[in-house]
Amino acid sequence: MHRYPYGVTTILILSASFVVLCYFIPSTEHSFAINNTSNSLSSLVKQGPTKKVTSALNAIVPSINATRLREIPNNIAASVEKIKNIVNTTANDIRNSIRKTINDIGNTLSSIGIALAVIGSIVAAAIVILVLMRRPRLGLDKHSPLVKTIGLVAYLIDDARIPLNLRTFEIIYKINTVLVQNKGWKAAKNCKGILNIGNEEVKVYWSAFDERDSMTINAHSLEYLDLFAIVDGEPSEIFNNLSDNISKLKNYIADTSLRESLNANIEAISTRYKSAQDIPRIITQSANYGWSIPRERYYLPMSKAETSRPVMVNGNIPIEMVKQITRVIVTSENARRLQEYITILDKPADIRGTAIRL
């Protein structure tokens, strides 16, 4: 019985001691921390604001290795640089990829455009060739001219009582003709010829009797265009022969009755041919009479209006006009206008009577 109360008492004493220790130890640590903080804060009051904060932080935050603190910005900068490099590399790759794609597309489109252009050119050329082949093409044959001989009457008296050699007098002319070719694959319709000398134009005619005014020239064919006729020989010599013939005619009609009917015609002939200048050297055709010496109807009185008409309208080309620019023009209903320059000579260049130089 005495041992039991003693043991209980011992346990109670130990428990009380434990409780006291548990109470005083934290209190002591708390007091110690408060004292330390108070001491630190009191020391900060004596320092400047920056040092106060730094000291306070140093007092509160545990100390860190200074070397590691210096490495942090470097590590951050290196990391940022790596990120920047990665971004730049990615952006460059994207730009290069886009640029390559655009270049590839451009090259492809260029190739397609070139191919289309080549194909279009071939097609256009083929169409042009077909059109040109189907279209008539007029041109002068460089082997021209051809020369034909024709005798034109200077006068004609239709009276059987007069000998034939005195009734008429012919002047020989050489017709200079050019060949107009159609080199196309289609007929050239309604072709008409013009001789242009200086500022004057005169219509010229085709050699065909049925189509003198206008001509249809078939494909790969040619037709003859008569440009002008030049006198064969010297006009002075021709005038002398003509004057001699007129003198014989006057002497022959000594009979009074014959003279009364023919005297007016003989007088008109003498008036018409007074000198060699009255022998036309270069003439063209007339729409109504074809090849004829201009003013052949000498026995008809000419009005003042007729004498003032341009000489080329009357079919006479003055010799001074051949020095001007001369062109042969052929128009057509469905062919391009033909225009070739030529030179008309003042006298035949050869025995054939050629007076054209192409």
Side-chain angles (χ1 to χ4, degrees):
M1 292 295 293
H2 292 287
R3 291 181 180 179
Y4 179 77
Y6 180 78
V8 173
T9 302
T10 301
I11 292 170
L12 291 173
I13 292 171
L14 290 174
S15 299
S17 300
F18 179 77
V19 171
V20 171
L21 289 173
C22 291
Y23 176 79
F24 281 104
I25 290 173
S27 300
T28 304
E29 292 176 353
H30 179 66
S31 299
F32 179 76
I34 291 173
N35 291 331
N36 289 336
T37 303
S38 299
N39 294 330
S40 299
L41 291 175
S42 61
S43 64
L44 290 173
V45 175
K46 299 177 181 180
Q47 300 175 2
T50 304
K51 291 184 178 181
K52 290 177 183 179
V53 175
T54 305
S55 300
L57 290 174
N58 292 333
I60 297 171
V61 180
S63 60
I64 302 174
N65 192 337
T67 302
R68 294 186 63 187
L69 288 175
R70 286 194 299 270
E71 289 176 354
I72 289 174
N74 296 332
N75 293 336
I76 293 173
S79 299
V80 171
E81 188 66 26
K82 288 180 181 180
I83 294 171
K84 189 186 297 184
N85 292 335
I86 292 171
V87 172
N88 290 336
T89 303
T90 304
N92 289 333
D93 292 340
I94 292 173
R95 283 196 296 269
N96 293 333
S97 179
I98 293 173
R99 190 179 295 112
K100 184 176 182 302
T101 302
I102 293 173
N103 291 335
D104 292 342
I105 293 172
N107 293 333
T108 303
L109 292 176
S110 298
S111 301
I112 294 173
I114 292 172
L116 290 176
V118 171
I119 294 171
S121 300
I122 294 172
V123 172
I127 292 173
V128 170
I129 291 172
L130 289 175
V131 170
L132 292 177
M133 288 177 62
R134 293 293 300 170
R135 186 177 181 181
R137 290 188 301 117
L138 299 177
L140 288 187
D141 183 3
K142 297 304 181 180
H143 295 93
S144 298
L146 299 179
V147 178
K148 299 179 292 184
T149 302
I150 187 173
L152 302 178
V153 295
Y155 72 88
L156 175 62
I157 299 177
D158 189 11
D159 194 321
R161 293 174 295 177
I162 302 175
L164 184 60
N165 64 323
L166 297 180
R167 287 186 212 169
T168 185
F169 184 89
E170 282 192 347
I171 301 176
I172 305 302
Y173 282 85
K174 299 288 187 177
I175 301 174
N176 279 245
T177 300
V178 291
L179 302 180
V180 180
Q181 293 179 315
N182 179 8
K183 300 178 182 179
W185 293 81
K186 192 174 183 179
K189 300 179 180 179
N190 197 26
C191 299
K192 297 180 180 181
I194 297 171
L195 188 63
N196 177 271
I197 303 178
N199 295 324
E200 292 192 52
E201 289 186 351
V202 60
K203 190 172 184 178
V204 292
Y205 299 91
W206 304 95
S207 295
F209 293 103
D210 54 344
E211 294 182 276
R212 293 183 62 251
D213 184 67
S214 62
M215 174 70 67
T216 295
I217 306 177
N218 294 325
H220 300 290
S221 183
L222 53 84
E223 294 294 341
Y224 299 88
L225 184 64
D226 295 337
L227 296 184
F228 62 87
I230 188 168
V231 67
D232 183 21
E234 287 295 330
S236 58
E237 186 177 333
I238 295 172
F239 174 76
N240 292 334
N241 293 335
L242 176 60
S243 298
D244 184 60
N245 214 58
I246 293 174
S247 297
K248 291 178 181 179
L249 180 61
K250 288 181 179 179
N251 294 331
Y252 185 79
I253 55 173
D255 183 78
T256 305
S257 59
L258 186 61
R259 186 187 305 120
E260 289 178 355
S261 60
L262 299 178
N263 188 53
N265 288 340
I266 295 173
E267 187 64 27
I269 294 171
S270 300
T271 304
R272 172 70 182 85
Y273 297 103
K274 293 181 179 179
S275 69
Q277 299 296 325
D278 296 325
I279 305 295
R281 299 187 67 176
I282 301 175
I283 61 175
T284 60
Q285 293 190 71
S286 168
N288 297 324
Y289 306 107
W291 289 111
S292 60
I293 297 177
R295 299 173 184 170
E296 179 187 351
R297 298 179 181 272
Y298 47 83
Y299 47 84
L300 296 177
M302 292 186 298
S303 65
K304 187 176 181 180
E306 287 178 329
T307 57
S308 63
R309 294 166 64 192
V311 289
M312 286 186 64
V313 174
N314 294 326
N316 181 22
I317 300 177
I319 195 65
E320 60 270 14
M321 290 191 68
V322 302
K323 298 179 182 179
Q324 301 186 40
I325 295 176
T326 304
R327 293 174 295 177
V328 178
I329 300 172
V330 178
T331 61
S332 174
E333 181 180 313
N334 60 335
R336 185 179 179 182
R337 177 188 177 102
L338 167 65
Q339 179 174 287
E340 290 287 347
Y341 289 91
I342 66 169
T343 299
I344 299 177
L345 307 179
D346 57 354
K347 59 183 179 180
D350 52 34
I351 194 172
R352 293 190 307 126
T354 305
I356 295 177
R357 186 166 56 241
L358 297 175

